[in-house]
Amino acid sequence: MGGRSTDVDGGRAGAGKELEASLALDGDGSRIAQARHLAAAFLTKVKDHYGIPVATATVEIVQLIVSELVTNARKYAPGPALLHLRVRGPVLQVELWDSNPAVPAAKAPDPERVGQHGLEIVAALAAAVTVERTPVGKRITADIPLTAAG
């Protein structure tokens, strides 16, 4: 089963409007690269096609956040996942839904720990991170300013 990508703006682009893109992910870990590519392509379209300012550093930060969220979903959730990108004003919302209802928690700092730093990285780079349970899993949303590193 492969990923499905959609890019939606419904002709609603412009001030106060939303631009969106989504990628359905299955259990295949190779989708991490596809998710990173979608994020970069989406932000390029936001900047070039709609004229919304996007800092170069923001593209790199978003790709890292997407990579961490998708990696964690692949590692800890047994079923499908959905990546959703949405521009709301000056902020990009990166939303990852997966089928594991367990809410992740950042671990205490430990310079000797190898791995398990994903949520710490996302929290450090995003302006805000929210985690909410859904009827069949959870949704993690990271808000990233488009023009200033978070």
Side-chain angles (χ1 to χ4, degrees):
M1 180 183 265
R4 187 183 78 228
S5 176
T6 59
D7 187 5
V8 178
D9 68 31
R12 299 173 298 159
K17 304 297 181 179
E18 291 183 12
L19 300 173
E20 302 176 328
S22 296
L23 179 64
L25 304 159
D26 58 20
D28 183 354
S30 69
R31 299 294 177 217
I32 297 165
Q34 187 178 0
R36 288 173 56 93
H37 175 74
L38 174 71
F42 177 69
L43 288 173
T44 297
K45 182 176 181 179
V46 165
K47 181 179 177 183
D48 294 347
H49 187 74
Y50 295 105
I52 298 170
V54 178
T56 301
T58 298
V59 176
E60 295 166 357
I61 288 167
V62 168
Q63 285 185 296
L64 180 54
I65 288 172
V66 163
S67 181
E68 292 297 331
L69 292 176
V70 173
T71 297
N72 286 347
R74 292 300 99 232
K75 191 171 184 179
Y76 300 111
L82 177 66
L83 173 67
H84 190 76
L85 308 173
R86 176 185 307 115
V87 173
R88 285 206 170 153
V91 173
L92 174 69
Q93 290 184 321
V94 175
E95 181 178 284
L96 194 286
W97 170 87
D98 68 45
S99 58
N100 184 347
V103 174
K107 296 183 181 283
D110 179 356
E112 305 213 2
R113 183 177 73 229
V114 177
Q116 299 184 333
H117 295 282
L119 189 58
E120 293 172 62
I121 292 168
V122 172
L125 294 173
V129 177
T130 57
V131 180
E132 54 189 321
R133 284 195 173 113
T134 66
V136 290
K138 70 178 165 301
R139 179 176 30 255
I140 300 174
T141 304
D143 292 347
I144 303 100
L146 290 170
T147 57

